[in-house]
Amino acid sequence: MFDKENIRVRYLRTLEKIRSFLLAKKSREFLIFLFFVFVSFSFWLLQVLNDDYETELSVPLRMKNVPENVVLTSDLPTELRIGVKDRGTVLVNYLLGQTLYPVTLDFEEYTDKGSQVRIPATTLSKRIASQLNQSTKLSTIKPDTLELIYTRGQGKKVPVKLRGEIKAERQFYISNVVYSPDSVMVYAPKEILDTITSAYTEELYIEEISDTTRRRAILMPVKGAKFTPSYDDVTFLVDMYSEKKVDVPVQGVNFPEDEVLRTFPAKVQVTFQIGLSQFKNVTADDFVVVVDYKKLHENTGDKCQPVLVQSPSIVNHVRLSPQEIEYIIEQKITFND
């Protein structure tokens, strides 16, 4: 009871303070001032809204009766932006209250006009104007032209290719690029479809990567074509360089049948860089070092330069040691029966 009585007393005291404040002379004068300010603002607002203004509204755009075997390969806008002019009071109603209904295109109306149809947006002006007040003037429609491009199931699979530049940190390299998926379906009218051989990603630029990196890349659009999916997950596999050395025998090429090459040393050392993951997979058998008989005729001394003519694609910075070797050409000994 004590708590309830205490709350009641405080409530009555608060009401008394508010009543005293409102009945005070200065408070009455301030409230009267606010009233006239509100009345003045209302008259000013009505006068302002009675003038003519221009604004932009959005009207939803829809397409109906699209057959299941038809693929729309052009991106129709989801809305039209219209410029209108009218009194401010009417425009405020559009912006705050009145909802404009979607303008619907019927696919069947354009099937006899080919697979690429241009629709002037002005042809939709009557449908839009029917939703507006009679006093409202329709001045602009954006976009001014709609392009409808479609195909009836014509498509093919094309490989995905990367555009851009990916750089690894020092002592690292990109060992492989994995696309997921590695190819996509593209749909388009035949005349457009025949010109598409690959699906290219948007340009990617990544620097100084030192670990496996994955990026989702949007496929570059082609006018009148639709890629499914419209993106690709690209993974860059990174490996660290390591140096390896192997001894490779020197071979003679283009020698006559009765002559043979002898080199000193018989093998040269091949030094190269390779990723750690492939270190054990590369051996001396993957390299071919030769001396060409035709080149020896140009020599004036007793030394020649061996040439590396075959090496795996996964190695880099290949060096031979020594770069010059001594040689002799011997006659083959044949024994007659």
Side-chain angles (χ1 to χ4, degrees), residues 260-280:
V260 63
L261 173 70
R262 304 292 183 192
T263 64
F264 308 94
K267 295 182 179 182
V268 295
Q269 188 177 77
V270 179
T271 305
F272 54 91
Q273 286 186 339
I274 186 171
L276 288 176
S277 61
Q278 298 290 335
F279 190 87
K280 295 181 179 179

Side-chain angles (χ1 to χ4, degrees), residues 46-106:
L46 288 174
Q47 184 177 358
V48 169
L49 292 179
N50 202 42
D51 293 335
D52 286 345
Y53 296 95
E54 290 188 14
T55 190
E56 193 172 70
L57 305 174
S58 64
V59 181
L61 181 66
R62 302 286 185 268
M63 173 71 74
K64 68 176 184 179
N65 294 330
V66 180
E68 291 184 359
N69 66 331
V70 168
V71 179
L72 298 179
T73 58
S74 59
D75 293 325
L76 286 174
T78 58
E79 64 178 20
L80 300 172
R81 302 296 298 180
I82 62 172
V84 293
K85 183 177 181 180
D86 207 333
R87 297 192 313 276
T89 51
V90 178
L91 297 182
V92 168
N93 184 43
Y94 289 133
L95 295 173
L96 301 179
Q98 183 176 347
T99 302
L100 297 178
Y101 295 103
V103 173
T104 303
L105 299 175
D106 191 342

Side-chain angles (χ1 to χ4, degrees), residues 179-191:
Y179 300 93
S180 181
D182 60 357
S183 57
V184 296
M185 288 297 299
V186 56
Y187 299 93
K190 187 176 185 307
E191 57 273 19

Side-chain angles (χ1 to χ4, degrees), residues 169-218:
E169 281 189 11
R170 187 178 179 84
Q171 296 301 320
F172 292 87
Y173 73 103
I174 310 298
S175 61
N176 196 11
V177 179
V178 180
Y179 300 93
S180 181
D182 60 357
S183 57
V184 296
M185 288 297 299
V186 56
Y187 299 93
K190 187 176 185 307
E191 57 273 19
I192 297 177
L193 192 64
D194 290 343
T195 65
I196 301 174
T197 57
S198 301
Y200 292 92
T201 69
E202 62 181 355
E203 293 187 352
L204 289 180
Y205 293 95
I206 309 176
E207 294 185 352
E208 297 183 352
I209 62 175
S210 58
D211 199 358
T212 298
T213 301
R214 183 178 181 181
R215 290 287 188 274
R216 171 159 290 186
I218 303 300

